[in-house]
PDB file of all heavy atoms in Angstrom:
ATOM      1  N   PHE B1081      -1.375  14.132  23.039  1.00 97.00           N
ATOM      2  CA  PHE B1081      -0.372  14.039  24.071  1.00 97.00           C
ATOM      3  C   PHE B1081      -0.942  14.523  25.409  1.00 97.00           C
ATOM      4  O   PHE B1081      -1.696  15.508  25.423  1.00 97.00           O
ATOM      5  CB  PHE B1081       0.899  14.842  23.721  1.00 97.00           C
ATOM      6  CG  PHE B1081       1.513  14.439  22.410  1.00 97.00           C
ATOM      7  CD1 PHE B1081       1.074  15.099  21.230  1.00 97.00           C
ATOM      8  CD2 PHE B1081       2.455  13.456  22.324  1.00 97.00           C
ATOM      9  CE1 PHE B1081       1.618  14.708  20.001  1.00 97.00           C
ATOM     10  CE2 PHE B1081       3.011  13.095  21.121  1.00 97.00           C
ATOM     11  CZ  PHE B1081       2.566  13.703  19.960  1.00 97.00           C
ATOM     12  N   PRO B1133       1.891  37.326  17.375  1.00 97.00           N
ATOM     13  CA  PRO B1133       0.744  36.494  17.544  1.00 97.00           C
ATOM     14  C   PRO B1133      -0.205  36.478  16.343  1.00 97.00           C
ATOM     15  O   PRO B1133      -0.221  37.462  15.601  1.00 97.00           O
ATOM     16  CB  PRO B1133       0.069  36.974  18.826  1.00 97.00           C
ATOM     17  CG  PRO B1133       0.464  38.447  18.869  1.00 97.00           C
ATOM     18  CD  PRO B1133       1.855  38.474  18.300  1.00 97.00           C
ATOM     19  N   HIS B1154      -4.682  48.553  15.560  1.00 96.00           N
ATOM     20  CA  HIS B1154      -5.524  47.613  16.246  1.00 96.00           C
ATOM     21  C   HIS B1154      -6.991  48.013  16.272  1.00 96.00           C
ATOM     22  O   HIS B1154      -7.343  49.126  16.669  1.00 96.00           O
ATOM     23  CB  HIS B1154      -5.038  47.376  17.667  1.00 96.00           C
ATOM     24  CG  HIS B1154      -5.874  46.393  18.434  1.00 96.00           C
ATOM     25  ND1 HIS B1154      -6.059  45.095  17.931  1.00 96.00           N
ATOM     26  CD2 HIS B1154      -6.502  46.458  19.596  1.00 96.00           C
ATOM     27  CE1 HIS B1154      -6.836  44.484  18.777  1.00 96.00           C
ATOM     28  NE2 HIS B1154      -7.138  45.258  19.804  1.00 96.00           N
ATOM     29  N   MET B1186     -16.039  21.275  12.134  1.00 98.00           N
ATOM     30  CA  MET B1186     -16.431  20.216  13.040  1.00 98.00           C
ATOM     31  C   MET B1186     -16.252  18.815  12.387  1.00 98.00           C
ATOM     32  O   MET B1186     -15.851  17.863  13.098  1.00 98.00           O
ATOM     33  CB  MET B1186     -17.912  20.412  13.479  1.00 98.00           C
ATOM     34  CG  MET B1186     -18.354  19.509  14.611  1.00 98.00           C
ATOM     35  SD  MET B1186     -17.334  19.495  16.095  1.00 98.00           S
ATOM     36  CE  MET B1186     -17.225  21.272  16.464  1.00 98.00           C
TER      37      MET B1186
END
Side-chain angles (χ1 to χ4, degrees):
Chain B
F1081 303 91
H1154 180 54
M1186 191 51 55

